[in-house]
Amino acid sequence: MLDVHIRPHIQHLFDFCAYGCIKFGLTPNRLTLIAFCVGVSAALFLIYGYTSLALICLLGSGLCDILDGTVARLTNTSHPFGGYIDLISDRMVESALIVGFATIYPDFYLLYLLFLISVLLHFSTFLAAGALFKNESEKSMHYDRSLV
């Protein structure tokens, strides 16, 4: 994960945004829900040809996805259920985007299937590692480093 190498250098920016979320009463689960809704909206904008709005929504969804965990850690409200809904909603947004691309570019269906297979394999190994290895981080489960 590039996250392991880059995140320490920019975490203070996410903390700043997270404190703003806390000030406005946004809980980690609300941020997860916002990330999900905005991410699915990105897929819908993509389908209807609003690619700039789709990209903006995708970036907003990604930011909310980062902030939900940051807010949980800063407020000491991390909970396994929050980690669960975060992981599931992330996969649902990814699936919605695959459907969006398949809708507007159906000729590339084989590539979408291969991408979906790679997401499923990656997530399966991620869950297996989370179940098998002791969690020694502040995240909700064990996150193994990638090859990068």
Side-chain angles (χ1 to χ4, degrees), residues 1-140:
M1 268 185 204
L2 293 175
D3 185 65
V4 172
H5 303 290
I6 296 172
R7 186 82 175 252
H9 302 293
I10 58 173
Q11 182 59 46
H12 64 281
L13 299 172
F14 298 134
D15 290 346
F16 177 78
C17 293
Y19 282 120
C21 292
I22 294 165
K23 182 179 177 182
F24 286 104
L26 292 173
T27 64
N29 289 346
R30 284 185 186 146
L31 285 164
T32 299
L33 181 62
I34 292 168
F36 169 75
C37 292
V38 173
V40 171
S41 295
L44 293 172
F45 282 131
L46 187 64
I47 289 170
Y48 289 107
Y50 298 104
T51 52
S52 295
L53 285 174
L55 182 58
I56 290 167
C57 284
L58 186 58
L59 291 171
S61 175
L63 178 60
C64 288
D65 185 41
I66 290 169
L67 292 177
D68 61 4
T70 303
V71 168
R73 284 186 289 281
L74 290 175
T75 58
N76 199 27
T77 57
S78 294
H79 191 272
F81 179 73
Y84 173 77
I85 62 169
D86 180 51
L87 292 171
I88 298 303
S89 67
D90 289 351
R91 302 299 77 77
M92 291 172 70
V93 168
E94 291 164 0
S95 299
L97 288 167
I98 292 170
V99 170
F101 278 110
T103 301
I104 61 174
Y105 301 114
D107 293 344
F108 300 107
Y109 73 93
L110 185 58
L111 293 175
Y112 306 128
L113 287 175
L114 292 173
F115 179 72
L116 181 60
I117 290 167
S118 71
V119 168
L120 290 173
L121 289 174
H122 172 77
F123 194 62
S124 297
T125 58
F126 175 79
L127 288 177
L132 296 174
F133 301 111
K134 182 181 177 189
N135 183 15
E136 297 178 357
S137 75
E138 56 187 18
K139 299 258 184 181
S140 59

